[in-house]
């Protein structure tokens, strides 16, 4: 079995698992801030030139292009961002773990393939 200390630190960090809750909170906060800022900026734009962000009401129940709607949209976006970020980190960790297991198993089988030839 190989020692992990032989690998460079950068490589160990690249294959380290992502903390699911922390990644979910980060994505949730970023998405909530984006919806909040987009709505607040859109309130200041005249109705004819405003981007069609009222379509977010189809995804976020209670959302409207207003101050209260901005808070409701930010809450929904934060929740959805957390769920999406958590699931993305979970999938990344799972795929990485399965890939490393397959690679390690193939390498061990390749090393022991000719074991019986030496007996």
């Amino acid at each position: 079995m190989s020692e992990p200390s032989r690998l460079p630190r950068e490589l160990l960090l690249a294959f380290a698992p992502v903390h699911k809750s922390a990644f979910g909170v980060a994505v949730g906060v970023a998405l909530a801030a984006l919806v909040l800022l987009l709505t607040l900026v859109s309130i200041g734009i005249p109705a004819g030139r405003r981007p069609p962000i009222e379509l977010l009401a189809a995804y976020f129940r209670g959302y409207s292009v207003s101050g209260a709607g901005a808070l409701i949209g930010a809450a929904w976006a934060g929740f959805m961002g957390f769920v999406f970020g958590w699931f993305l980190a979970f999938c990344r960790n799972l795929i990485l773990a399965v890939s490393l297991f397959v690679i390690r198993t193939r390498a061990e089988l390749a090393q022991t393939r000719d074991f019986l030839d030496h007996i």
Side-chain angles (χ1 to χ4, degrees), residues 6-49:
R6 292 183 183 178
L7 296 173
R9 179 169 160 61
E10 294 81 14
L11 192 60
L12 289 175
L13 288 175
F15 290 109
V18 175
H19 195 278
K20 295 183 290 286
S21 297
F23 193 70
V25 168
V27 172
V29 167
L31 198 57
L34 179 70
V35 169
L36 184 69
L37 252 119
L38 185 65
T39 304
L40 293 177
V41 166
S42 180
I43 290 172
I45 298 174
R49 299 181 59 209

Side-chain angles (χ1 to χ4, degrees), residues 34-90:
L34 179 70
V35 169
L36 184 69
L37 252 119
L38 185 65
T39 304
L40 293 177
V41 166
S42 180
I43 290 172
I45 298 174
R49 299 181 59 209
R50 186 178 296 168
I53 63 169
E54 60 271 354
L55 295 174
L56 286 175
Y59 299 104
F60 303 147
R61 184 180 179 109
Y63 176 79
S64 63
V65 184
S66 65
L71 294 176
I72 292 171
W76 273 110
F79 173 72
M80 290 180 69
F82 174 81
V83 171
F84 178 73
W86 188 95
F87 186 70
L88 188 66
F90 172 79

